[in-house]
Amino acid sequence: MIRPVLMTALLAAATPAPDSLQLNEGNIPQIVEAMTLKEKATLLVGSGFKSMLAGNLGEKGVLVPGAAGTTRAIPRLGIPAVVLSDGPAGVRINPTRKRSPGKTFYATAFPTGTVLASTWNEDMLQEVGSAMGSEALEYGIDVLLGPGMNLMRNPLNGRNFEYYSEDPVLAGKMAAAMIRGIQSRGVGTSAKHFALNNQETNRAGNDARVDDKTARELYLKGFEIAVREAAPWTLMSSYNKINGEYAQSNRWLLTRVLREEWDFGGLVMSDWTGKRDTGAQVAAGNDLMEPGLNSQIREIVRQVRRGVLTESEVDACVTRVLELVVKTPRFREYAYSEEPDLQAHALVAREAAAEGIVLLRNEGVLPFGGDVSTVAVFGVAGYSCILGGTGSGHVNAAHAVQLPDALQARGITAEPALRGIYENYLARNRVSQGMLGAGIPAEFAVDPSPWTGADAAVFVIGRQAGESGDRHVEDDFLLTDIERANLEAISSAFRAAGKKVIVVLNIGGVIETASWKDLADAIVLSWQPGEEGFAALAGILCGETCPSGRLPMTFPIRYSDVPSSENFPYNPEPEDIMGPFKKHRDRGRPNVDFTEYAEKLGVGYRYFSTAGKEVSYPFGFGLSYTVFSYDSISAAVAEDGSAEVRVCVTNRGNAAGKEVVQVYLARPEAAVPEAGAPVTRPALELKGFAKTSLLAPGESQTVTVRIAPYILASFDAESGSWSLPQEPLFLAGPNCAELPLSAGCRDL
Ligand code: BGC
């Protein structure tokens, strides 16, 4: 600790600021010059947990109760504190405040990241981002802590619901669109968690051991796309280590790759509660420590004094914090209303869910025809939709649409007595309708026979997971015994009565489907679709919306088919689940203290398509109420290495619908990996995609997919450089297992 005398001497050495010097966009260097070292250190360290814990600790001095954190103000230089709030599915703040009795601050629970990615619609994400950004703006938020965009390396990651895809191009493009949308309202974003935070078990201590090629082509590529194509104001550095070095003090990651190679001009803030060597974080280019402890301020001052950290390293971070501050609504003194347009945003949330819901199976049952006027809705989640996952991705929603009501609005009645049974169950278990945040009571056994008088059965299967813990295989990836027994009973009773069975999956991450799909006549994947999600679902069931969602990840047959299952926590011990303040001792345990990314590029469809291994539902898959023909393709490469692929599709069915055209780079020569060997050259890689407009029956559209050279290139670890494919071969089609069109390239 620095003795007070020394500290005084140190502070006295700083240039005194003229009283008139106040921060503006053009005087950042002068402000830095005028700051004392202590002031500089103060600016790099957030204000602590006050706003996040305002509900418990009190709201005094807190700008926005429930926001995740703030920076610190330096009033003498006109530097305000700016407010940072979660999260990826909408603004997460306290819905009520002691200081404003009678007023509420609910936010729109938008569909979760997985639903948004399933839309494959960049315009839609931009629209959602714009609505989210305006909500943040009106609630006094300066930076929204999202999007979450880690790659879905393994289906059991507890936070997959917040993320976009197993593919970096889809994840990167979707995140970029979301960032553009949010930032279009003058509010910042924080793309997270940079990088390789692919498991929750021991997330603050786990060392992700990954080779360069895999890191660059898979785990960093999505962030690279977001940075190059949307310039997020900030990025959030993750808790974990990468090859032995914490991401938050990783100079290679935060300075060399992010700033020198990708030209990132924004700020990096640390993820919350992972206390590190603060000096090393500053030196690496981690500008802002969140949520911030007073001891970190002292640590920075001490390290400069000892010469461990240079003042110019501190200045670089201070400059970036000030560059952020001057962009914010708070600096512009924006007069926020605290009354966002929740009604308009609910409509956006519904539209996005309607495009993200994926129809996995349909044996001639959907959409409901005129013969369906009553349905028997089974499953707890059927009466209490799981809107999103738990933890910082949770949103305190203003309302939630429930399936029976949404069906009723479309002229279909859910059996009222059955509804009564489930609603009693929810009440007994104290689950408030539609506000299910953490945990869902287990299903109870049902006897479906009394309800077979209904015209169809809908069985909603729910799953909940979230921050700090990974999912398990038993009773989570797999159906529970009660769910399976209920499904079997419902299926046989309704089929015996000549009625159809629809299964709805209200889940945040992939589950096993292969063993039971035949028991259902239709399977609709609603994901965790936000407050309006079940209105969108009812619209799909009733044919108001033609499904156009496509899977952003693979549904494998068995969990053990996934190569990373060899190197992923399996039923982690409770002690390995990271509580917010827990310090973890490195005991060298595989998949807890370190994780080998031994499968290399063999993630998701890159593995399944290269190995020729059967899956339950392939990446990119989703049914529609119409059919599209793939008519023609042409591809050309320009001198700068960028490619342009044009694909013409036609709606050949009877319903108006949208198609998602997917363009893959093919390597027919890629060898099938030997059992247990990693994939080093994938047979297929998604390079671009486009969603058509709503095409009427008989209507055609030619979409143009432009592929930038940095997306087309592959990384050569030996030379440490990127190279473009010599004679690229592109395949196009509706999913990675069905690619009817192919084209070599002519020169543009
Ligand atoms: C999460 C972040 C979140 C932050 C602030 C952390 O624990 O990992 O995603 O933004 O908390 O709530």
Side-chain angles (χ1 to χ4, degrees), residues 378-379 418 421-422 443-449 451 482 485-486 489-490:
F378 297 97
L418 184 56
I421 292 175
Y422 277 99
E443 286 299 333
F444 53 90
V446 286
D447 171 10
S449 35
W451 316 106
I482 289 185
N486 281 350
I490 294 165

Side-chain angles (χ1 to χ4, degrees), residues 52 86 92 159 192-193 203 236 239 271-272 467:
M52 192 190 264
D86 288 308
R92 183 173 72 102
R159 281 185 99 167
K192 66 189 188 183
H193 308 86
R203 65 178 174 161
M236 188 186 291
Y239 291 117
D271 197 349
W272 269 236
E467 196 172 333

Side-chain angles (χ1 to χ4, degrees), residues 101-380:
K103 195 166 155 47
T104 58
F105 303 83
Y106 286 104
T108 306
F110 289 93
T112 51
T114 306
V115 189
L116 296 175
S118 302
T119 68
W120 295 63
N121 184 338
E122 291 165 84
D123 294 341
M124 176 63 75
L125 264 79
Q126 202 154 323
E127 198 185 328
V128 171
S130 166
M132 242 187 233
S134 103
E135 208 156 301
L137 181 71
E138 294 309 329
Y139 272 140
I141 307 302
D142 297 293
V143 178
L144 201 56
L145 303 175
M149 52 176 304
N150 293 90
L151 209 74
M152 295 173 179
R153 171 177 177 251
N154 184 283
L156 300 187
N157 180 356
R159 281 185 99 167
N160 276 351
F161 77 94
E162 291 184 58
Y163 300 148
Y164 287 133
S165 177
E166 69 185 20
D167 178 85
V169 172
L170 181 58
K173 293 279 182 183
M174 288 294 157
M178 176 61 85
I179 292 165
R180 285 194 295 268
I182 296 172
Q183 293 189 172
S184 73
R185 310 313 295 234
V187 170
T189 54
S190 197
K192 66 189 188 183
H193 308 86
F194 190 57
L196 285 120
N197 184 177
N198 302 108
Q199 68 182 60
E200 287 298 289
T201 304
N202 189 23
R203 65 178 174 161
N206 179 260
D207 182 21
R209 297 187 181 164
V210 63
D211 66 276
D212 263 16
K213 182 174 169 70
T214 304
R216 294 216 178 231
E217 290 189 10
L218 285 189
Y219 298 99
L220 300 183
K221 187 54 88 181
F223 286 99
E224 182 179 1
I225 294 171
V227 165
R228 290 190 194 274
E229 301 190 3
W233 290 8
T234 84
L235 242 63
M236 188 186 291
S237 57
S238 57
Y239 291 117
N240 54 286
K241 294 176 190 163
I242 301 170
N243 296 325
E245 179 68 61
Y246 283 112
Q248 300 181 345
S249 48
N250 198 316
R251 215 187 130 70
W252 171 81
L253 183 73
L254 303 184
T255 295
R256 171 141 166 235
V257 173
L258 178 62
R259 295 196 160 101
E260 293 168 9
E261 293 184 21
W262 302 350
D263 213 16
F264 176 63
L267 167 142
V268 175
M269 69 177 81
S270 66
D271 197 349
W272 269 236
T273 74
K275 172 80 175 72
R276 309 278 183 245
D277 174 343
T278 312
Q281 288 178 272
V282 172
N286 192 111
D287 310 300
L288 178 62
M289 317 302 139
E290 283 295 334
L293 302 167
N294 291 337
S295 62
Q296 289 176 294
I297 300 177
R298 295 194 291 274
E299 210 176 321
I300 294 171
V301 171
R302 195 185 313 135
Q303 297 219 17
V304 172
R305 173 137 184 83
R306 289 190 184 146
V308 183
L309 192 61
T310 67
E311 193 148 350
S312 68
E313 285 169 327
V314 173
D315 287 355
C317 296
V318 169
T319 301
R320 289 191 287 255
V321 175
L322 292 174
E323 284 168 352
L324 170 70
V325 170
V326 296
K327 285 194 277 200
T328 59
R330 198 153 257 97
F331 184 75
R332 297 195 308 271
E333 296 181 353
Y334 179 77
Y336 52 95
S337 63
E338 293 183 335
E339 282 174 8
D341 191 345
L342 295 177
Q343 266 185 338
H345 299 167
L347 287 181
V348 177
R350 183 188 302 190
E351 265 181 56
E355 283 219 7
I357 292 174
V358 186
L359 181 61
L360 290 178
R361 178 179 170 89
N362 189 14
E363 301 297 304
V365 47
L366 293 177
F368 290 142
D371 54 335
V372 175
S373 60
T374 56
V375 292
V377 175
F378 297 97
V380 174

